[in-house]
Amino acid sequence: STILKEFMEENQIDYQLVPPNVHRRNAAERAIRTFKNHFVAGLCSVDKDFPMHLWDKLLPQAELTLNLLRGSRLNPKLSAWAQINGTYDFNRTPIAPPGTRVLVHEKPSTRDSWAPHAIDGWYVGPANNSYRCYTIWIRDTQAERICDTISWFPTQVKMPVPSTNDLILASLLDIRDSLNNPAPASPVEPTHDTHNKELTQITEILTNIVRQRTELNTPRRLRHL
């Protein structure tokens, strides 16, 4: 604008204008385009019955996920989010595909004796101030609620589940920890040190086998030259 130009000239600020109608030369215009594409992609992943008048409820997660994907200009090894806010803890604040249909568990103290144990809702984003909770739009009350126990019913994407190797490896690690830290007077505690040593050896052998298979099945990232 003319006022902005006059202000910069009065303060001896050096500036240049981008060519007219060439948006790719304008960093702000390019950032707007990137966000629009990201948000449209999120809208395409919502449930087919998701009420579209709730589109504005999806904006906080769209901004979060975009900044997690974008690299920092100060340190390319960090995301834009990590540069300002630190590492994002997915275990503390989990996120899910936007607009996913869910069933929210009703606590016994808040429901009637013969009432259903869950109600319908829509996932609209994480609950940043609550540990391992989600922000859900409840269909019956037409309002948001912070929930911790929900069931997912995605239609556009598949929810990640642990593989067979992951389950076996977790079980083996639990066995190893139990052998290294046996509970007092445990009914399954080995009676002799030789039993403990043999079970530990078997656990280590099986753990290495499962890890090798997992590494072989994991796709490697190609390095672009």
Side-chain angles (χ1 to χ4, degrees), residues 20 29 43 50 106 108 147 165:
E29 292 286 351
L43 292 177
F50 178 77
E106 289 277 70
C147 308
N165 286 348

Side-chain angles (χ1 to χ4, degrees), residues 36-70:
K36 288 174 62 178
N37 292 340
H38 182 73
F39 190 66
V40 169
L43 292 177
C44 292
S45 67
V46 302
D47 190 276
K48 62 183 181 63
D49 296 324
F50 178 77
M52 292 306 296
H53 70 273
L54 299 178
W55 66 268
D56 59 309
K57 305 293 183 181
L58 307 179
L59 288 173
Q61 175 165 319
E63 181 181 352
L64 166 65
T65 52
L66 179 60
N67 286 325
L68 288 173
L69 293 171
R70 291 176 60 245

Side-chain angles (χ1 to χ4, degrees), residues 31 34 63-84:
T34 300
E63 181 181 352
L64 166 65
T65 52
L66 179 60
N67 286 325
L68 288 173
L69 293 171
R70 291 176 60 245
S72 170
R73 292 189 176 184
L74 299 178
N75 185 356
K77 295 183 179 180
L78 297 177
S79 66
W81 175 273
Q83 182 67 51
I84 299 177

Side-chain angles (χ1 to χ4, degrees), residues 36-220:
K36 288 174 62 178
N37 292 340
H38 182 73
F39 190 66
V40 169
L43 292 177
C44 292
S45 67
V46 302
D47 190 276
K48 62 183 181 63
D49 296 324
F50 178 77
M52 292 306 296
H53 70 273
L54 299 178
W55 66 268
D56 59 309
K57 305 293 183 181
L58 307 179
L59 288 173
Q61 175 165 319
E63 181 181 352
L64 166 65
T65 52
L66 179 60
N67 286 325
L68 288 173
L69 293 171
R70 291 176 60 245
S72 170
R73 292 189 176 184
L74 299 178
N75 185 356
K77 295 183 179 180
L78 297 177
S79 66
W81 175 273
Q83 182 67 51
I84 299 177
N85 303 286
T87 303
Y88 187 83
D89 190 348
F90 290 91
N91 182 64
R92 176 181 177 182
T93 311
I95 57 178
T100 302
R101 178 178 172 268
V102 298
L103 280 179
V104 178
H105 178 252
E106 289 277 70
K107 302 297 187 290
S109 58
T110 61
R111 68 171 186 260
D112 296 333
S113 178
W114 294 96
H117 291 191
I119 56 176
D120 290 303
W122 304 98
Y123 169 82
V124 294
N128 295 321
N129 296 325
S130 301
Y131 180 71
R132 295 192 63 81
C133 291
Y134 309 90
T135 302
I136 306 298
W137 178 269
I138 304 301
R139 189 178 65 180
D140 293 342
T141 62
Q142 294 292 294
E144 291 183 354
R145 182 189 300 182
I146 304 299
C147 308
D148 63 336
T149 306
I150 58 180
S151 295
W152 304 90
F153 296 91
T155 57
Q156 304 292 341
V157 296
K158 292 183 178 181
M159 298 297 288
V161 294
S163 64
T164 303
N165 286 348
D166 293 335
L167 295 174
I168 295 175
L169 182 58
S171 301
L172 293 174
L173 293 177
D174 289 340
I175 294 174
R176 187 187 63 183
D177 293 339
S178 298
L179 294 175
N180 293 333
N181 303 286
S186 174
V188 295
E189 183 179 359
T191 56
H192 301 287
D193 292 339
T194 55
H195 294 167
N196 194 347
K197 184 181 299 184
E198 291 174 356
L199 289 173
T200 302
Q201 185 178 2
I202 294 175
T203 304
E204 292 178 352
I205 293 174
L206 294 176
T207 301
N208 293 331
I209 293 175
V210 173
R211 283 178 174 171
Q212 291 175 0
R213 290 181 178 178
T214 303
E215 293 177 356
L216 291 175
N217 295 331
T218 302
R220 296 184 180 274

